[in-house]
Amino acid sequence: MALRRAQRLRKNGDFQRVRQQRQSVSSRLLILAWSPHPESDLESHLEPNVAITRVGFVVSKRISKNATTRNTIKRLLSEAVRSLWHEIPPGYDLVLTARHQMVGTDARTGKRVIIVDLSTLKQDIRLLLRRAQLLVPAPVVDDTRLSASQET
């Protein structure tokens, strides 16, 4: 399942605004840039005064000349972010840029192939969010009520 349209950055100006803020952290696989929503952008959402986080993905042609490979990387990134969505605070625009370490060369065919899996991407994105101090701690489940209700 993909991210909803309201959860994605789509306009070139939005990508440029996030990059110009110069708030970014990087890892071996990804670069995370972020900025808070501008006030005018918050008013454009369906529900007024509700901040939403939006995410955009950048995969350069330097990563792979093949559009299918680039789009597959974007879909993997989207799925990794979607699974971590509950841990990302509202009110930010995030841009995830893929680095060339995500792909390698297949020895048999000589073509560029994706060498990372979804779990590795999730770990890397969680690490970047933690470094950027954008990670909301997961809610703690109070299991004392569960165990008390099971005893009776």
Side-chain angles (χ1 to χ4, degrees):
M1 179 177 217
L3 294 173
R4 294 187 329 244
R5 186 178 178 109
Q7 295 172 322
R8 292 178 298 179
L9 287 176
R10 295 181 311 276
K11 296 180 181 174
N12 188 30
D14 290 335
F15 281 88
Q16 288 180 355
R17 179 184 48 78
V18 171
R19 285 188 171 162
Q20 287 173 354
Q21 293 290 324
R22 294 206 169 99
Q23 292 181 318
S24 66
V25 291
S26 63
S27 68
R28 185 178 67 85
L29 299 174
L30 299 167
I31 300 170
L32 170 68
W34 73 94
S35 75
H37 275 302
E39 293 300 321
S40 61
D41 209 22
L42 289 175
E43 297 169 2
S44 68
H45 294 293
L46 298 174
E47 298 178 40
N49 301 324
V50 174
I52 189 167
T53 295
R54 299 183 303 168
V55 182
F57 306 103
V58 177
V59 182
S60 168
K61 282 188 181 179
R62 283 187 267 171
I63 302 291
S64 175
K65 300 282 189 216
N66 187 346
T68 306
T69 303
R70 293 193 310 272
N71 289 332
T72 302
I73 291 171
K74 289 178 189 179
R75 285 193 300 273
L76 279 170
L77 288 171
S78 178
E79 179 59 28
V81 168
R82 191 185 65 77
S83 67
L84 298 171
W85 196 257
H86 63 280
E87 298 179 42
I88 302 172
Y92 288 93
D93 287 341
L94 309 173
V95 174
L96 282 166
T97 305
R99 299 181 88 178
H100 69 277
Q101 285 89 347
M102 288 186 71
V103 294
T105 305
D106 186 4
R108 289 181 292 144
T109 62
K111 293 184 178 183
R112 304 281 282 172
V113 293
I114 302 168
I115 58 172
V116 296
D117 60 353
L118 185 60
S119 64
T120 304
L121 284 177
K122 285 181 190 178
Q123 291 173 354
D124 208 50
I125 292 170
R126 184 175 277 124
L127 171 73
L128 291 173
L129 289 169
R130 192 174 299 120
R131 284 185 191 168
Q133 298 177 351
L134 294 175
L135 197 62
V136 173
V140 177
V141 177
D142 186 12
D143 59 350
T144 58
R145 282 189 273 159
L146 285 174
S147 61
S149 65
Q150 290 173 351
E151 292 173 4
T152 57

